[in-house]
């Protein structure tokens, strides 16, 4: 059964592709625009979920398409040019009035040496601006100007972290040759954050200048030059609280790691660590591109890892070659892993076909995969996988403790999701899994940038696992609680209640009116109080003077998961696997307990209760729980403080309210309301209301 979100993404993908197809038809000679028509399902799903979360009051389909069209143009241009982050232009440098840095891709136009120094003055341009810019080249790059009789530097592309300009050029006199150049052309001070861009015609240069291999590293004081492949660029920054304050060393307060591998078949990874301001150049790198690392500083492995560490020192120079150029030049890594994989499976009876071709390390990068990825499509060694499915299982936090270091503990959150093709267990590590504590079984979620592990031996089988972490960029969106899906009339998928019940839908949207409420206790089979009978419906002796309705249907909960406490003054949350601080306790309305929980706690906490609402849409009625704060327009804390009669009156005030809500089927006959919005009156209803008010 298709959810409202799936229908929306399917429609948006076809409409957005049609927009770019029309652009391609109007520009038949431009290959880039033709390529832009291939928009991945994962990109549309993730960006739509992000936009809907930013517009909880709703938006139209035209607005959504306009935002997505603009975003895709930017993203595609960056991918097509070979970088993923926001690069600026020379014009932006001219326009800037603040002290800020910019990432630029520029080309050398000409240069001249400053007499009596080792510094060169170069003039650069870019593809997007008509203006030139002057840069004082850092001395460590000077030897490369004269390399190969100056042929290497002519029209050489470079990427630079451009510092603030040192002058204030008069832009309206840019072409006035009578004015000194320093008064009309932007002048940039020396910076060591500059990278040379190589192309396929630099093959001889690479072979000559980067002969070393990782296995050649020794303890001897020697300089090395490596040709390496980028296998992962971290998108998070590690912050250190114990940085060195030695005056002889630069402080290392933050760090971004880039994982690299050389051209041998040994597949031994190394790490290039960029510290503090160096980390700002990490967006210049992209997975599967190649770099020439000239004179890196080699450090011993850190305590938490085994890989060799390279650092960007004052002598280090980096040369970058895009993946496509490396393949054309024959400098790319040979796909030995795929060869081994094919040989292993040639004698196998059962082979799971990959959705995409594997790269040189045997990975499948799903970022550009056009179709939706289902559970059945998952295989080992996949990157950037996006999954949409229903949560069918949640486990308590089960921290991983390093067997060699008991103090090194990592939070590990497991969940099981299902789609139409199967189920899959997923492990979310550390911060990537914190948000999973607030999702509930039965809800639909979208998980972006998951990875699958390599195959491992487990008994007589070879298995692999699905993981997500902040380092990988993993993000989770709870689709069932996206208010924008309900508040946007064009995105709704309202179905009759009778149809949802007859077809046993597990999640659907419905429009109806609250016609009553019922109050239940764990110790009673039926309801205790209801909107139709505010007197006790049973013979049980229930004293609301000792414990009011508010005392029974509200509870303290951990802010991290919003699950009611099981004990008085509970100090730890087993679900989140952490201690509960005083400022992490909130009051919530109790949900209807699961059957198992109701039986096990019936006598221990039989005084606990909950409220169920009765919804009527004209075709059928149903009972549901949840949404108390929205319907009552009061917090659980304030409801608890009210008198018994005031609580009854407030519950009665909900009767007659018309709502649109998303319902999730549970293991009981009662639905859970995951999201709701009040039904807006029609124009005629507004006119009638104004007419009545006018008569008064």
């Amino acid at each position: 059964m298709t959810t409202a979100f799936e229908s929306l993404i399917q429609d948006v993908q076809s409409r957005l592709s049609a927009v770019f197809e029309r652009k391609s038809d109007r520009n038949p000679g431009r290959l880039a625009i033709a390529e832009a028509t291939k928009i991945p399902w994962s990109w549309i799903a993730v960006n739509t979920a992000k936009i809907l979360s930013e517009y909880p009051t709703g938006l139209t389909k035209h607005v959504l398409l306009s935002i997505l069209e603009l975003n895709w143009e930017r993203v595609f241009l960056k991918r097509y040019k070979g970088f993923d982050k926001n690069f600026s232009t020379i014009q932006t440098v001219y326009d800037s009035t603040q002290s800020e840095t910019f990432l630029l891709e520029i080309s050398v136009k000409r240069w001249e040496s400053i007499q009596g120094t080792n510094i060169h003055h170069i003039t650069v341009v870019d593809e997007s601006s008509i203006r030139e810019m002057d840069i004082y080249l850092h001395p460590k790059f000077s030897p490369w100007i004269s390399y190969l009789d100056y042929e290497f530097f002519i029209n050489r592309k470079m990427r630079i972290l451009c510092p603030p300009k040192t002058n204030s050029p008069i832009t309206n006199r840019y072409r006035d040759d009578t004015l000194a150049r320093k008064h009309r052309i932007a002048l940039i001070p020396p910076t060591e954050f500059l990278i040379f861009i190589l192309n396929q015609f630099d093959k001889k240069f690479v072979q000559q200048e980067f002969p070393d291999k990782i296995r050649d590293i020794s303890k001897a004081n020697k300089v090395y030059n490596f040709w390496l492949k980028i296998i992962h660029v971290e998108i998070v920054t590690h912050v250190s609280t114990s940085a060195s304050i030695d005056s002889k060393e630069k402080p290392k307060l933050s760090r971004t790691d880039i994982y690299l591998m050389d051209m041998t078949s040994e597949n031994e990874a190394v790490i290039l660590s960029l510290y503090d301001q160096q980390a700002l150049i990490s967006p210049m790198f992209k997975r599967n591109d190649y770099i020439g690392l000239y004179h890196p500083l080699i450090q011993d492995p850190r305590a938490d890892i085994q890989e060799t560490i390279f650092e960007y020192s004052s002598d280090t120079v980096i040369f970058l070659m895009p993946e496509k150029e490396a393949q054309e030049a024959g400098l790319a890594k040979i796909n030995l892993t795929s060869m081994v994989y094919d040989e292993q499976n040639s004698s196998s009876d059962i082979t799971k076909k990959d959705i995409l071709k594997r790269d040189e390390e045997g990975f499948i990068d799903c970022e550009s995969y056009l179709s939706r990825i289902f559970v059945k499509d998952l295989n080992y060694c996949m990157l950037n996988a996006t999954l949409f499915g229903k949560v069918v299982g949640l486990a308590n936090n089960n921290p991983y403790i390093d067997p060699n270091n008991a103090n090194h503990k990592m939070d590990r959150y497991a969940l099981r999701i299902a789609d139409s093709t199967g189920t899959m267990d997923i492990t979310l590590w550390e911060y990537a899994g914190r948000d999973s504590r607030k999702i509930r079984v039965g809800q639909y979620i979208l998980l972006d940038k998951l990875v699958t592990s390599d195959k491992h031996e487990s008994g007589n089988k070879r298995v692999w696992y699905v993981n997500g972490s902040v380092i990988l960029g993993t993000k989770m969106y709870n689709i069932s609680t996206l208010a924008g899906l309900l508040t946007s009339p064009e995105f709704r998928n309202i179905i009759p209640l009778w149809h949802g019940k007859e077809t046993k839908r597990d999640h659907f949207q419905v429009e109806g009116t609250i016609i009553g409420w019922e109050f239940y206790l764990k110790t009673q089979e039926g309801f205790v109080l209801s909107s139709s009978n505010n007197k006790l419906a049973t013979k049980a002796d229930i004293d609301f003077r000792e414990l009011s309705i508010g005392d029974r249907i509200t509870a303290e909960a951990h802010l991290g998961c919003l699950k009611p406490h099981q004990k008085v003054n509970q100090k730890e949350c087993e679900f989140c696997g952490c201690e509960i601080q005083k400022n992490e306790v909130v009051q919530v309305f109790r949900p209807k307990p699961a059957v198992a929980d109701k039986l096990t706690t019936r006598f221990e906490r039989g005084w606990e209760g909950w409220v169920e609402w009765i919804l009527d849409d004209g075709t059928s009625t149903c009972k549901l729980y949840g949404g108390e704060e929205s319907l009552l327009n009061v917090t659980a804390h304030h409801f608890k403080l009210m008198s018994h009669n005031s609580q009854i009156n407030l519950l009665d005030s909900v009767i007659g309210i018309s709502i649109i809500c998303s319902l999730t089927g549970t293991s009981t006959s009662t639905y859970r309301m995951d999201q709701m919005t009040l039904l807006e009156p029609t124009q005629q209803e507004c006119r009638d209301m104004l007419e009545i008010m006018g008569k008064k």
Side-chain angles (χ1 to χ4, degrees):
M1 291 175 288
T2 305
T3 64
F5 183 75
E6 290 174 285
S7 300
L8 174 62
I9 300 307
Q10 185 176 357
D11 182 48
V12 168
Q13 186 175 25
S14 62
R15 287 172 179 264
L16 196 59
S17 296
V19 169
F20 283 92
E21 285 172 1
R22 288 194 293 270
K23 290 184 179 183
S24 178
D25 292 339
R26 291 194 295 266
N27 299 272
R30 299 184 64 180
L31 179 61
I33 298 180
E35 288 293 320
T37 61
K38 303 172 183 177
I39 311 174
W41 184 95
S42 59
W43 185 90
I44 295 177
V46 170
N47 280 269
T48 299
K50 190 184 303 181
I51 293 169
L52 289 175
S53 65
E54 294 170 352
Y55 291 85
T57 56
L59 70 168
T60 65
K61 189 168 290 185
H62 287 296
V63 173
L64 175 63
L65 284 170
S66 297
I67 297 173
L68 290 173
E69 179 185 353
L70 182 61
N71 290 348
W72 176 243
E73 283 181 345
R74 292 173 178 170
V75 169
F76 177 77
L77 181 62
K78 295 167 193 171
R79 291 184 182 180
Y80 191 77
K81 284 197 168 186
F83 43 79
D84 290 335
K85 301 295 181 179
N86 287 326
F87 274 62
S88 299
T89 63
I90 289 178
Q91 183 62 50
T92 308
V93 178
Y94 275 87
D95 295 339
S96 175
T97 58
Q98 300 178 348
S99 179
E100 52 187 331
T101 59
F102 301 96
L103 290 175
L104 303 178
E105 183 168 276
I106 54 181
S107 298
V108 178
K109 189 174 182 180
R110 57 182 176 272
W111 64 87
E112 61 181 16
S113 60
I114 299 177
Q115 192 172 3
T117 69
N118 190 30
I119 298 177
H120 289 76
H121 180 275
I122 66 173
T123 299
V124 298
V125 294
D126 66 10
E127 295 180 357
S128 304
S129 307
I130 60 173
R131 298 184 186 272
E132 296 179 347
M133 188 172 69
D134 292 340
I135 302 176
Y136 285 119
L137 195 64
H138 193 283
K140 77 173 181 179
F141 302 113
S142 296
W144 301 102
I145 290 183
S146 58
Y147 188 85
L148 293 177
D149 293 330
Y150 301 96
E151 290 184 7
F152 176 80
F153 213 64
I154 297 174
N155 298 321
R156 176 63 57 184
K157 280 191 174 183
M158 302 184 295
R159 290 180 184 172
I160 182 175
L161 179 63
C162 182
K165 55 183 180 291
T166 60
N167 61 343
S168 299
I170 305 172
T171 55
N172 60 356
R173 298 186 64 182
Y174 173 77
R175 299 189 182 280
D176 187 355
D177 294 337
T178 62
L179 188 66
R181 187 175 179 85
K182 63 181 180 180
H183 295 310
R184 56 189 179 86
I185 305 296
L187 183 61
I188 306 301
T191 175
E192 61 177 336
F193 303 128
L194 183 149
I195 294 174
F196 294 107
I197 305 299
L198 304 178
N199 56 46
Q200 57 182 299
F201 302 108
D202 293 310
K203 178 177 181 179
K204 187 176 180 180
F205 168 78
V206 171
Q207 293 173 332
Q208 180 176 330
E209 295 296 332
F210 302 101
D212 298 317
K213 302 293 184 291
I214 301 300
R215 59 172 176 245
D216 298 332
I217 298 176
S218 65
K219 295 294 182 180
N221 187 16
K222 178 188 173 184
V223 293
Y224 295 92
N225 301 325
F226 301 100
W227 183 247
L228 305 166
K229 181 180 180 179
I230 301 173
I231 59 174
H232 179 62
V233 181
E234 290 188 344
I235 63 172
V236 297
T237 301
H238 305 274
V239 179
S240 173
T241 57
S242 58
S244 171
I245 58 174
D246 189 342
S247 59
K248 297 180 181 179
E249 297 182 7
K250 291 184 179 180
K252 296 177 180 178
L253 300 176
S254 60
R255 186 188 82 248
T256 297
D257 290 336
I258 299 175
Y259 290 77
L260 309 163
M261 197 171 285
D262 67 14
M263 300 300 104
T264 65
S265 59
E266 298 168 0
N267 287 341
E268 183 179 353
V270 294
I271 295 175
L272 173 61
S273 291
L274 302 174
Y275 294 96
D276 301 315
Q277 194 178 10
Q278 295 176 356
L280 296 177
I281 69 173
S282 62
M284 297 183 185
F285 305 104
K286 181 182 176 184
R287 185 181 181 275
N288 284 337
D289 285 348
Y290 291 78
I291 66 171
L293 204 53
Y294 184 84
H295 290 9
L297 179 64
I298 302 175
Q299 299 282 23
D300 293 330
R302 293 190 295 266
D304 57 330
I305 59 174
Q306 300 298 321
E307 291 87 352
T308 300
I309 305 295
F310 293 157
E311 292 185 4
Y312 187 81
S313 70
S314 57
D315 296 323
T316 305
V317 180
I318 297 178
F319 300 81
L320 176 68
M321 181 179 286
E323 178 187 16
K324 187 176 180 180
E325 297 288 336
Q327 291 172 345
E328 292 289 337
L331 295 171
K333 191 169 184 179
I334 300 174
N335 193 344
L336 295 175
T337 308
S338 293
M339 290 180 178
V340 174
Y341 171 68
D342 292 338
E343 289 175 4
Q344 289 176 345
N345 284 313
S346 61
S347 59
S348 176
D349 295 331
I350 301 175
T351 303
K352 189 170 185 178
K353 187 176 180 180
D354 292 331
I355 59 175
L356 288 171
K357 185 179 179 180
R358 295 180 179 271
D359 65 13
E360 290 82 359
E361 279 71 47
F363 290 104
I364 302 174
D365 193 340
C366 307
E367 187 174 44
S368 300
Y369 186 61
L370 297 182
S371 303
R372 175 182 168 183
I373 296 176
F374 290 90
V375 167
K376 69 176 179 62
D377 299 320
L378 294 176
N379 208 341
Y380 72 97
C381 291
M382 295 180 77
L383 305 173
N384 299 315
T386 300
L387 277 184
F388 174 75
K390 175 184 174 182
V391 179
V392 295
L394 287 165
N396 291 347
N397 180 17
N398 182 22
Y400 168 79
I401 300 175
D402 190 336
N404 300 319
N405 183 3
N407 295 324
H408 184 214
K409 185 175 75 171
M410 297 177 65
D411 290 328
R412 179 171 52 181
Y413 307 93
L415 62 151
R416 179 173 294 173
I417 69 170
D419 61 22
S420 59
T421 66
T423 60
M424 179 61 65
D425 292 336
I426 297 172
T427 301
L428 300 177
W429 295 88
E430 293 286 291
Y431 292 100
R434 302 281 166 86
D435 288 342
S436 71
R437 301 298 85 184
K438 290 184 180 179
I439 64 176
R440 299 293 181 259
V441 171
Q443 292 179 338
Y444 280 80
I445 63 173
L446 182 70
L447 285 164
D448 184 37
K449 294 195 182 302
L450 297 172
V451 301
T452 61
S453 70
D454 201 351
K455 292 182 287 189
H456 301 277
E457 296 290 343
S458 179
N460 297 325
K461 298 189 300 182
R462 302 191 75 184
V463 298
W464 45 267
Y465 307 98
V466 185
N467 295 282
S469 72
V470 171
I471 293 177
L472 300 168
T474 304
K475 289 189 177 181
M476 184 184 70
Y477 300 90
N478 191 335
I479 304 303
S480 295
T481 59
L482 278 180
L485 275 176
L486 284 178
T487 55
S488 305
E490 293 182 80
F491 303 158
R492 296 174 189 157
N493 187 16
I494 305 296
I495 67 170
L497 184 55
W498 73 268
H499 181 68
K501 294 167 67 175
E502 286 293 323
T503 56
K504 297 182 179 180
R505 283 180 174 261
D506 58 359
H507 187 79
F508 60 97
Q509 296 174 337
V510 66
E511 177 185 323
T513 302
I514 303 293
I515 62 172
W517 59 269
E518 294 173 348
F519 167 62
Y520 291 82
L521 286 176
K522 284 185 176 180
T523 54
Q524 305 296 322
E525 292 298 329
F527 63 84
V528 177
L529 291 177
S530 71
S531 54
S532 59
N533 183 7
N534 289 339
K535 295 182 180 180
L536 292 176
T538 66
K539 296 181 180 179
D541 185 16
I542 301 174
D543 188 0
F544 286 109
R545 291 172 298 180
E546 181 181 353
L547 288 173
S548 68
I549 294 178
D551 293 323
R552 298 172 187 272
I553 70 171
T554 64
E556 290 186 340
H558 179 213
L559 184 61
C561 61
L562 300 181
K563 281 184 171 287
H565 289 177
Q566 303 298 315
K567 303 174 184 177
V568 179
N569 297 324
Q570 187 169 319
K571 301 298 182 184
E572 293 185 359
C573 178
E574 294 182 1
F575 190 56
C576 296
C578 65
E579 293 184 1
I580 302 175
Q581 306 298 325
K582 290 183 178 180
N583 61 347
E584 296 178 342
V585 178
V586 294
Q587 287 279 343
V588 298
F589 286 96
R590 292 185 189 276
K592 181 177 181 178
V595 175
D597 180 60
K598 185 177 178 181
L599 293 174
T600 56
T601 61
R602 182 172 182 175
F603 300 105
E604 297 176 17
R605 304 193 304 276
W607 54 270
E608 294 178 354
W610 68 95
V611 169
E612 294 183 9
W613 311 103
I614 303 173
L615 183 72
D616 188 342
D617 78 334
T619 67
S620 184
T621 62
C622 72
K623 293 181 180 180
L624 53 93
Y625 67 90
E628 290 86 0
E629 290 198 0
S630 299
L631 289 170
L632 298 172
N633 197 26
V634 68
T635 65
H637 173 71
H638 286 91
F639 184 83
K640 182 178 179 180
L641 297 177
M642 298 170 67
S643 65
H644 176 74
N645 288 334
S646 297
Q647 292 171 352
I648 294 290
N649 292 334
L650 188 57
L651 289 169
D652 285 339
S653 70
V654 177
I655 298 174
I657 293 179
S658 296
I659 62 172
I660 300 175
C661 58
S662 60
L663 302 181
T664 296
T666 63
S667 57
T668 66
S669 59
T670 307
Y671 290 96
R672 181 181 64 234
M673 182 163 60
D674 285 322
Q675 186 61 254
M676 63 147 287
T677 183
L678 298 177
L679 186 63
E680 298 177 359
T682 63
Q683 289 184 354
Q684 185 59 46
E685 289 173 335
C686 291
R687 293 191 192 100
D688 294 341
M689 188 179 299
L690 290 172
E691 186 177 342
I692 294 172
M693 293 176 63
K695 291 179 179 179
K696 291 182 178 180

